[in-house]
Amino acid sequence: MVGYFPVGIAYGILMAKLGYNFLWSAISSLVVYAGSLQMLMVSFLMDNVPIFTVAVMALLLNSRHLFYSISFVEKFKSYGFWKVFLIYGMSDENYSLLCAYKEQEGVEEKWVHIFSAGLIWFYWALFSGLGGLIGQLITFNTAGIDFALTALFVVILIEQIKAAASKWPVVMGIGSSVL
């Protein structure tokens, strides 16, 4: 919830500044449910990008979610209808929560997975809609607010670097990005 608050608000504000009602921000967050794509979608809407380009970018940008879901397919098989929702709700944040989950006595893992995915989805839509409402009220220049998602990833990276026993993966990641 805490991580989604600033990014969801920023997304809603950006949509409002394009002239979209706050409901569009919330509805797109429920249906599209891909934060990085949605932030990119704002510039697509602004620049009237062709639908084919949008589709290709969406596929490329969110293909990582396919790999996230593949790693949980066996576990989700026994969840009945819920497996479809869990695969749909496999965001970066939910994947990391599901991977970090430690079994606890008296807690059914299935419901932890379902409520985790549901709450994260709800928070994203809630904060996107709230950002849309705020964006309709803001009268000052909001240039630079689209940096919220990048800032979130930078903070996550810094925290991971601090916690890592070996800095070698960071060096390889930065090196491969530069190359």
Side-chain angles (χ1 to χ4, degrees):
M1 179 176 81
V2 173
Y4 273 178
F5 180 77
V7 180
I9 296 289
Y11 169 69
I13 290 171
L14 290 170
M15 288 289 284
K17 290 304 167 190
L18 282 179
Y20 290 94
N21 184 289
F22 75 97
L23 291 174
W24 282 109
S25 300
I27 290 168
S28 70
S29 292
L30 287 172
V31 177
V32 177
Y33 189 50
S36 52
L37 175 63
Q38 287 177 250
M39 293 296 251
L40 188 58
M41 190 171 67
V42 170
S43 62
F44 288 167
L45 292 169
M46 202 168 25
D47 297 335
N48 294 318
V49 174
I51 192 71
F52 179 76
T53 303
V54 172
V56 169
M57 287 300 296
L59 178 65
L60 293 174
L61 185 59
N62 290 315
S63 61
R64 69 188 185 282
H65 295 205
L66 296 171
F67 295 102
Y68 294 166
S69 297
I70 287 170
S71 68
F72 277 93
V73 163
E74 284 302 314
K75 185 174 290 284
F76 291 167
K77 273 185 181 178
S78 65
Y79 291 5
F81 161 79
W82 290 107
K83 72 180 174 191
V84 175
F85 172 69
L86 289 168
I87 290 170
Y88 171 73
M90 190 60 76
S91 63
D92 299 327
E93 294 77 10
N94 195 37
Y95 179 72
S96 66
L97 287 175
L98 296 183
C99 286
Y101 176 73
K102 306 259 189 281
E103 289 189 38
Q104 299 177 26
E105 189 176 321
V107 177
E108 192 174 340
E109 186 178 33
K110 170 185 173 180
W111 293 108
V112 171
H113 291 171
I114 292 166
F115 282 113
S116 170
L119 285 171
I120 289 173
W121 186 44
F122 171 75
Y123 292 144
W124 177 243
L126 174 72
F127 295 137
S128 296
L130 182 60
L133 278 172
I134 292 168
Q136 292 174 343
L137 301 173
I138 291 177
T139 57
F140 56 85
N141 185 353
T142 58
I145 202 163
D146 52 340
F147 187 70
L149 186 63
T150 305
L152 176 66
F153 285 131
V154 168
V155 169
I156 291 169
L157 174 66
I158 290 169
E159 290 302 314
Q160 295 229 338
I161 291 170
K162 286 180 183 178
S166 170
K167 307 302 184 216
W168 184 239
V170 175
V171 172
M172 287 177 40
I174 292 171
S176 65
S177 296
V178 170
L179 287 176

